[in-house]
Each structure stands twice: as C-alpha cells, then as structure tokens.
Amino acid sequence: MDKQEYDAIIIGGGIAGLQAAIQLGRSLRKVVVIDKGEGRSTLCRSYHNVLGYPNGISGEELRYIGRGQAEKVGVQFVLDEAVDAKRLQDGRFEVTGKLSGVYRCDELLIATGIADRLPEVPGLKPCLGKTIYICPDCDGYEVKNKSTVVIGSGGTGAGMAVSLLYFTDRVTLVNHVWEGGPAKAIPPELEQQLRAGGVDIVTGTIAEVVTKGDGEFQAVRLTDGRELAGERGFASFGGNTVNTKLFQLLGAERMESGHVVVEPRTQMTSVPGLFAAGDVAVHSEQLTIAMGNGQQAAIWIHKRLKERDKKRAGGSAANAAAAGAR
C-alpha cells in the first residue's frame, strides 16, 4: 500500500486540531487532518464564554467554520479513525487509518480530547450546552438565580452542586443509580455543605430528561415516576476517558490522570516531534485554551519543519558540490 506523505498530520478535528490546521496551512505546510467526526465539541449546542460570540455558538457550527477556513489554505481532511501510530527509525511517524490507509509525516499532533461519561437517557444530549451544562467555569453564569437540577453520581455530582451554590441557591441534586447500582455514597463533608446550602438530595435512576421544544430542559424523570423540575440542568458523573491510546503506542509520558505530559512552551511530548493539544494534554476543558494549545503546537511544528528544510537544503547543496568536484 502506498504511503501518503505529509509535513504534518493532525489526529482529531476538534477545536485544538482545527486551530493547529489553520495555522499550519497558513505556514504553507502540507497537512492532513484525520478525524472520525466525534468528540465533545460535536455535542455542545452552544458555547457561551467565547470572545466574539456573545449569543453563543454551537460546536458543530464552529467546527464547520474552522474546517472551511483550513481548507481554504490547503489543508486536507479525511473522515476516518486513526487506529495505529508508530515512530520510524528515521524519527518520522507512520499513522494507519481504519479505512483510508497509511500516512507518514515528519511532525505529528494528536488532539483526540476526552470522552464524557454520561448515562444514555433520552433527552439529555439535545440539551447539552443549551440548557444542560457540564462545566461550571464555562456555564455557571447560565444558571444564575435559576432553579437548577444537577444530575450526577456520588462525590462528583455533589461537588458540582456545591460549586453551583455560588450562582444560585435553588439547587436539586439527583444522585443517579447506574444500572447494576447501588448509588455511590456522597462524602459526609460534601453532604454537610449541601444541607447547609439548602440543596435537596434525591437518590434514584434517571429514566429521561423531559424537554419542551428543542433542547429546552424542563425536568428529570426517574424510573419510579418522580419528576424533578428546573429551569436549567448540570451533569457531572466523573470517570471521563482521556483518549490517549495513540500516545501509549508511541511511548509518550502520561500523568496519573491519564493526560499527556507536554512542554508548556511548545506542546511537544516526551517523544520528539510528537505534539499534544487540547483536553488530552491540559485538564482545563476550555474551548479557548484548546484553541490556544493548537495554535502554539502549530507554531512550533512549523519551526521544527523549517529546521528540517535547512538540513535538507544543506545536504542537497553538499551533494551537488561533491558531484561537481567529480
């Protein structure tokens, strides 16, 4: 099978990967983005804290805009899943797509993000980012003085409910019992804070999120028939997956949390030429930070490619001189 050659490959077409693609395309580099079309940014119906979008923007729309912007500067896109990656003896990288074959590059950026652990209940996903949120730093403001239902599990859900008391004193916590239960216990110190803040604590299994209209949260219905109404919701279950399989294959250093260790100035991992950007590397879970990571990684990838170009040019000149001397 023929190997498709590139200056750089980006695995992951989310916010970090797209920003890197735009920058590398503008640096006149031959780049391909391998993206399987999933990820957190495909689920969020509206980001509210992004400069320039005071009314919010959905992840899908931002991805659409970003892909078009990257394609205008020559970046290629492949809808596929990268299933294997290895570093070759010459220091370059080889990436295998599940459907599209084998790719080779000098520099590799992996921006595969994290996968949220959420229960599969009807009505939840259409509300994400619109009326049900997952990040209090991003969207705590959206529940200001509103009745808010937190759906979560154990200490993770309880911690979220406590944090939201900063924005509203009208909080209900549903401690969800996953299939196969029992319910996770809430640590005593958190339960004390919840009681002190007037938070109603309900234990049960969520059957569905009740909505009115398109993604407009109305209530949580439990399997025993109880309904817990609210104007907004938050979800916090813990156990999110950091998508680092390819980093493991390449031998990159990881933290105990599973996130990849990078050099802060360059976003390069412990493997020379291998970069990481976005939530897979930084436990911030912020769109704007992911965007900045992607930009930073791309700048340093271009710097390394310029050094490669100089070496190749020097080698070509030396070979030409040697040939002339003969």
Side-chain angles (χ1 to χ4, degrees):
M1 184 179 293
D2 292 337
K3 309 294 191 300
Q4 302 170 68
E5 302 283 343
Y6 293 89
D7 292 325
I9 294 171
I10 298 171
I11 301 175
I15 305 306
L18 285 171
Q19 183 62 60
I22 291 166
Q23 180 63 28
L24 284 169
R26 289 172 58 83
S27 299
L28 309 180
R29 294 301 178 181
K30 185 180 180 184
V31 179
V32 64
V33 178
I34 303 173
D35 178 45
K36 62 180 181 178
E38 300 177 4
R40 174 178 277 186
S41 59
T42 65
L43 298 176
C44 185
R45 296 286 301 279
S46 186
Y47 292 101
H48 299 94
N49 64 338
V50 180
L51 177 67
Y53 295 97
N55 297 319
I57 182 170
S58 74
E60 288 282 21
E61 184 179 0
L62 197 56
R63 286 170 68 111
Y64 176 79
I65 293 170
R67 174 167 176 163
Q69 193 172 347
E71 286 177 331
K72 283 182 179 179
V73 290
V75 176
Q76 299 175 39
F77 284 80
V78 175
L79 182 61
D80 197 4
E81 179 182 3
V83 293
D84 192 22
K86 58 186 176 183
R87 194 161 185 246
L88 304 174
Q89 289 186 342
D90 62 3
R92 301 176 74 237
F93 297 93
E94 184 173 280
V95 175
T96 302
K98 189 174 185 178
L99 303 172
S100 56
V102 179
Y103 306 78
R104 283 185 176 175
C105 64
D106 287 271
E107 308 292 313
L108 176 60
L109 169 62
I110 301 178
T112 41
I114 63 176
D116 292 292
R117 178 173 173 256
L118 296 169
E120 291 290 337
V121 297
L124 174 58
K125 288 185 179 179
C127 293
L128 289 177
K130 187 175 183 182
T131 54
I132 296 180
Y133 315 103
I134 60 174
C135 172
D137 296 319
C138 307
D139 292 312
Y141 180 84
E142 302 302 317
V143 305
K144 178 185 175 184
N145 299 327
K146 290 182 170 64
S147 58
T148 303
V149 180
V150 176
I151 57 175
S153 181
T156 304
M160 177 65 76
V162 168
S163 71
L164 292 177
L165 289 172
Y166 176 81
F167 294 99
T168 179
D169 60 0
R170 301 161 64 195
V171 178
T172 299
L173 170 63
V174 179
N175 189 17
H176 175 63
V177 181
W178 292 87
E179 185 177 351
K184 284 190 176 181
I186 296 173
E189 62 274 16
L190 282 177
E191 184 172 357
Q192 184 177 2
Q193 293 178 61
L194 293 171
R195 301 293 184 193
V199 176
D200 292 328
I201 305 172
V202 179
T203 298
T205 300
I206 301 166
E208 66 174 315
V209 171
V210 181
T211 62
K212 50 182 178 181
D214 180 24
E216 294 293 333
F217 175 78
Q218 188 171 16
V220 169
R221 181 177 293 134
L222 304 183
T223 53
D224 61 12
R226 285 178 292 173
E227 281 197 12
L228 305 167
E231 297 169 274
R232 295 289 186 269
F234 255 86
S236 183
F237 291 89
N240 293 345
T241 301
V242 187
N243 297 319
T244 57
K245 175 186 174 183
L246 297 175
F247 290 101
Q248 290 178 269
L249 293 174
L250 293 165
E253 181 183 358
R254 297 185 304 149
M255 308 176 203
E256 288 186 11
S257 65
H259 292 81
V260 180
V261 177
V262 297
E263 202 286 314
R265 188 176 179 218
T266 65
Q267 295 297 127
M268 190 160 71
T269 71
S270 59
V271 178
L274 174 62
F275 293 75
D279 289 341
V280 76
V282 180
H283 190 54
S284 65
E285 303 186 18
Q286 292 286 320
L287 179 149
T288 50
I289 293 175
M291 194 178 290
N293 291 161
Q295 179 81 353
Q296 193 76 350
I299 288 170
W300 283 91
I301 287 172
H302 178 55
K303 288 179 185 290
R304 285 177 56 88
L305 288 170
K306 285 199 296 184
E307 289 300 314
R308 176 207 68 179
D309 295 342
K310 286 180 183 178
K311 289 178 181 178
R312 288 181 179 174
S316 297
N319 289 338
R326 297 193 200 102

